[in-house]
């Protein structure tokens, strides 16, 4: 019996309160949305503890996040996936087209998620075999730096008997480990596989054919080697990649990736509101309702063909989001509404939230800009009044023009620090204090001119 407990990530063992605390490190406010995703993640762990018969009957509780752009919808889903170490795919619902039209079919997102999981598991396996691969690479580098001694004539003793250490080789090994040979050039045989380019035009995607043409042609056309002159440091990376690939069991990678997708995959469907609403026109236009009906089997649970085999979508968690300015969740087709039982509304951000966003998260904007300027030897210091003024001005622009939430802070900060960023390498004064007066001087006139701020901020 498959041990599903091995599939849970570190975040799955956190309690909902601990999950919210982790999300609080990066996202300001939106307590209701954080609670909902925390419960959804914890429910995955709970499901793994249930006996197999009932476990398969428990479907994930998909979520719809409702709120304007820039309030943290995508960030909440992304941080949740990172916390759980789950395969995570963000895709816009508007990219899909109804069956029968040229464009992306809805099943392509499962194939994309599978590719992400393959890369994720390969990276994990690469870390596991790294020590072994490094040992092999060291020996291969020593073989290149010190070619083996020619075999002696029959009947004569070799210069170094089996089991005896070669002092020269050990001396070279010591230099290699100390990094004193990194810039030495060596000749390296690099394999090159010539695969003919085959163009296949298919709206459904080549993955549906379940054929890996690259591997197929790679087996037909043998690999060739090319001698390259590279530094030891570069050769180590090339050889490490080759040896890691040899040591990794790809069958195991595919099995583990499939389990990760099926049991802990998360798909973030952005702009779901753009495919809501019945079409009142007739003709060959792509139907929004048609896209919903194509999405429905994937969300409900179906089997999708990928080049890595069949993947079931029954237990993938779907988090949809949209502003829902001109539509509402109840405009979704009834079957789709039933598959998204949890609705959370995210609040617009104001001055207080902007102040906290600028300073509190681990990746706060002010922290980022301080680090950027520190690379030039410039120390930035923001007075509390300056941060408040920045939050006030960003809120004003959002209210008067398009409300893009916290993304407005990026444009405001860039404009504020434009001169400092440009002149940073030549500045003699290496400590700069940003005051409220400086903020007003740089931004107030620009914000006062509504037409200008509409284009620049």
């Amino acid at each position: 019996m498959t041990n599903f407990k091995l599939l849970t990530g570190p975040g799955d063992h956190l309690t909902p309160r601990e999950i919210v605390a982790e999300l609080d490190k990066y996202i300001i406010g939106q307590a209701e949305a954080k609670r909902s995703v925390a419960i959804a993640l914890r429910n995955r762990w709970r499901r793994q503890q249930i006996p197999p018969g009932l476990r398969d009957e428990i479907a994930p509780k998909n979520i719809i996040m409702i709120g304007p752009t820039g309030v943290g919808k995508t960030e909440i889903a992304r941080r949740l996936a990172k916390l759980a170490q789950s395969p995570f795919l963000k895709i816009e619902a508007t990219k899909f087209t109804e069956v029968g039209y040229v464009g992306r079919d809805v099943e392509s997102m499962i194939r994309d998620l599978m590719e992400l999981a393959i890369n994720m598991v390969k990276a994990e396996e690469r870390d596991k075999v790294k020590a072994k691969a490094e040992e092999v690479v060291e020996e291969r580098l020593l073989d290149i730096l010190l070619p083996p001694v020619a075999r002696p004539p029959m009947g004569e003793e070799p210069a170094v008997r089996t089991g005896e250490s070669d002092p020269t080789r050990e001396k070279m090994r010591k230099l290699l480990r100390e990094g004193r040979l990194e810039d030495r050039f060596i000749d390296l045989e690099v394999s090159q596989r010539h695969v003919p380019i085959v163009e296949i035009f298919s709206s459904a995607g080549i993955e549906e054919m379940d054929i890996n043409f690259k591997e197929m042609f790679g087996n037909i056309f043998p690999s060739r080697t090319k001698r390259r002159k590279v530094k030891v440091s570069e050769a180590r990376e090339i050889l490490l990649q080759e040896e890691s690939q040899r040591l990794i069991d790809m069958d195991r990678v595919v099995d583990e990736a499939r389990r990760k997708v099926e049991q802990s995959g998360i798909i973030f469907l952005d702009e779901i509101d753009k495919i809501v609403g019945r079409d009142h026109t007739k003709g060959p236009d792509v139907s929004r309702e048609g896209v919903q009906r194509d999405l429905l089997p994937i969300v409900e649970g179906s089997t999708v063909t990928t080049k890595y085999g069949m993947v079931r979508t029954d237990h993938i968690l779907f988090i949809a989001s949209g502003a829902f300015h001109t539509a509402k969740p109840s405009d979704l087709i009834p079957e789709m509404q039933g598959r998204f039982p949890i609705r959370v509304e995210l609040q617009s951000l104001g001055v207080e939230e902007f102040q906290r966003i600028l300073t509190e998260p681990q990746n706060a904007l002010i922290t980022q800009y301080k680090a950027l300027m520190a690379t030039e030897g410039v120390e930035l210091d923001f007075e509390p009044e300056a941060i408040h003024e920045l939050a006030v001005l960003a809120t004003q622009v959002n209210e008067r023009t398009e409300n893009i939430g916290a993304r407005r802070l990026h444009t405001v900060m860039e404009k504020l620090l434009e001169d400092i960023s440009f002149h940073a390498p030549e500045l003699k004064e290496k400590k700069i204090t940003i005051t409220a007066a400086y903020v007003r001087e740089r931004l107030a006139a620009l914000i006062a001119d509504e037409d200008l701020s509409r284009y620049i901020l």
Side-chain angles (χ1 to χ4, degrees):
M1 185 177 68
T2 305
N3 185 357
F4 284 102
K5 292 186 182 181
L6 294 176
L7 304 176
T8 56
D12 288 351
H13 298 286
L14 298 174
T15 66
R17 192 182 300 278
E18 290 169 337
I19 294 167
V20 169
E22 288 294 318
L23 294 174
D24 283 341
K25 293 178 182 178
Y26 299 95
I27 302 143
I28 298 299
Q30 314 302 358
E32 187 184 350
K34 288 175 186 173
R35 283 170 61 92
S36 294
V37 297
I39 292 168
L41 184 59
R42 183 63 177 181
N43 277 340
R44 289 195 151 177
W45 177 84
R46 290 166 178 157
R47 179 178 161 268
Q48 307 292 0
Q49 318 310 312
I50 293 172
L54 184 57
R55 180 194 300 157
D56 293 337
E57 300 298 323
I58 299 174
K61 304 301 183 286
N62 299 321
I63 302 166
I64 292 183
M65 293 186 185
I66 305 160
T69 185
V71 296
K73 299 189 296 293
T74 306
E75 192 65 12
I76 287 172
R78 184 181 286 117
R79 293 291 172 184
L80 185 77
K82 194 171 183 181
L83 194 60
Q85 291 189 353
S86 300
F88 173 77
L89 178 72
K90 175 185 180 289
I91 194 158
E92 294 174 5
T94 51
K95 289 188 180 295
F96 300 123
T97 60
E98 190 179 2
V99 169
Y101 290 84
V102 175
R104 295 206 70 180
D105 65 300
V106 293
E107 291 186 352
S108 65
M109 63 182 172
I110 306 300
R111 295 191 287 267
D112 291 345
L113 190 64
M114 188 64 188
E115 283 289 350
L116 288 169
I118 290 284
N119 293 333
M120 181 187 292
V121 177
K122 275 178 73 174
E124 291 170 2
E125 291 297 312
R126 203 174 287 120
D127 288 340
K128 291 178 185 176
V129 302
K130 187 178 180 182
K132 175 66 176 173
E134 284 175 344
E135 289 178 17
V136 177
V137 167
E138 185 179 87
E139 296 302 327
R140 287 184 64 181
L141 284 173
L142 288 171
D143 287 342
I144 295 168
L145 290 162
L146 287 171
V149 180
R151 184 183 293 276
M154 188 175 295
E156 293 186 18
E157 289 290 324
V160 179
R161 292 188 179 90
T162 305
E164 292 183 353
S165 63
D166 181 347
T168 309
R169 189 179 179 90
E170 292 309 311
K171 183 181 177 182
M172 191 67 77
R173 188 191 304 277
K174 185 172 182 291
L175 292 172
L176 195 63
R177 289 179 177 177
E178 290 173 354
R180 293 163 66 181
L181 303 176
E182 294 300 282
D183 293 329
R184 178 180 289 192
F185 282 92
I186 60 173
D187 290 327
L188 184 67
E189 294 283 346
V190 182
S191 62
Q192 287 186 319
R193 198 178 290 277
H194 294 277
V195 181
I197 296 172
V198 180
E199 290 190 7
I200 297 177
F201 299 93
S202 167
S203 61
I206 188 65
E207 296 89 347
E208 283 197 355
M209 299 173 68
D210 200 21
I211 298 174
N212 192 329
F213 277 93
K214 192 171 182 180
E215 286 182 9
M216 184 180 75
F217 282 119
N219 293 329
I220 295 172
F221 297 92
S223 62
R224 300 176 183 175
T225 58
K226 178 183 178 183
R227 186 177 289 273
R228 285 178 57 194
K229 192 172 282 294
V230 296
K231 289 184 178 181
V232 168
S233 57
E234 186 182 348
R236 182 183 285 103
E237 291 302 317
I238 294 169
L239 293 173
L240 192 60
Q241 192 171 354
E242 282 184 14
E243 292 302 327
S244 296
Q245 194 64 35
R246 286 196 187 104
L247 291 168
I248 291 172
D249 180 355
M250 278 307 296
D251 290 337
R252 185 175 179 279
V253 166
V254 170
D255 288 343
E256 182 66 19
R258 186 185 298 112
R259 284 196 292 267
K260 274 184 175 287
V261 168
E262 291 182 343
Q263 302 298 325
S264 63
I266 298 174
I267 291 181
F268 184 79
L269 277 172
D270 202 5
E271 296 188 353
I272 192 79
D273 54 322
K274 302 294 193 301
I275 60 166
V276 170
R278 295 182 178 276
D279 298 301
H280 301 292
T281 59
K282 293 182 179 179
D285 295 328
V286 176
S287 162
R288 293 180 181 183
E289 186 177 314
V291 176
Q292 287 186 59
R293 293 201 178 279
D294 290 348
L295 277 170
L296 188 60
I298 307 292
V299 178
E300 282 185 328
S302 59
T303 303
V304 176
T305 305
T306 76
K307 67 182 179 184
Y308 300 105
M310 309 295 274
V311 176
R312 293 191 61 81
T313 69
D314 301 65
H315 300 289
I316 293 175
L317 177 66
F318 288 87
I319 302 176
S321 81
F324 287 95
H325 289 312
T326 58
K328 50 190 182 296
S330 58
D331 291 331
L332 286 162
I333 60 173
E335 299 92 333
M336 188 70 86
Q337 290 182 50
R339 287 293 165 176
F340 286 88
I342 301 174
R343 318 277 170 83
V344 288
E345 189 167 355
L346 285 80
Q347 305 304 314
S348 295
L349 305 174
V351 175
E352 184 184 345
E353 289 81 13
F354 281 170
Q355 279 185 257
R356 295 179 61 199
I357 288 168
L358 284 167
T359 56
E360 288 184 20
Q362 289 187 1
N363 60 341
L365 267 181
I366 285 179
T367 305
Q368 292 179 29
Y369 279 97
K370 281 183 176 180
L372 287 170
M373 291 300 101
T375 62
E376 304 276 8
V378 176
E379 183 185 346
L380 276 183
D381 183 39
F382 285 79
E383 291 185 348
E385 294 79 9
I387 296 170
H388 176 75
E389 192 67 24
L390 272 169
V392 169
L393 294 175
T395 305
Q396 286 179 9
V397 179
N398 270 350
E399 287 172 351
R400 285 168 38 184
T401 60
E402 189 74 24
N403 185 358
I404 60 171
R407 292 190 180 94
R408 184 70 66 191
L409 292 172
H410 290 266
T411 58
V412 169
M413 286 288 288
E414 274 296 317
K415 197 65 187 171
L416 173 71
L417 300 174
E418 187 177 45
D419 278 355
I420 297 172
S421 295
F422 185 82
H423 296 292
E426 298 92 30
L427 288 175
K428 291 188 174 66
E429 180 60 51
K430 291 300 184 181
K431 181 169 181 180
I432 300 172
T433 301
I434 306 296
T435 63
Y438 181 80
V439 173
R440 285 191 290 271
E441 177 191 334
R442 293 285 302 157
L443 300 174
L446 186 60
I447 288 171
D449 188 334
E450 189 171 339
D451 291 334
L452 199 57
S453 65
R454 190 178 296 275
Y455 288 100
I456 296 176
L457 296 177

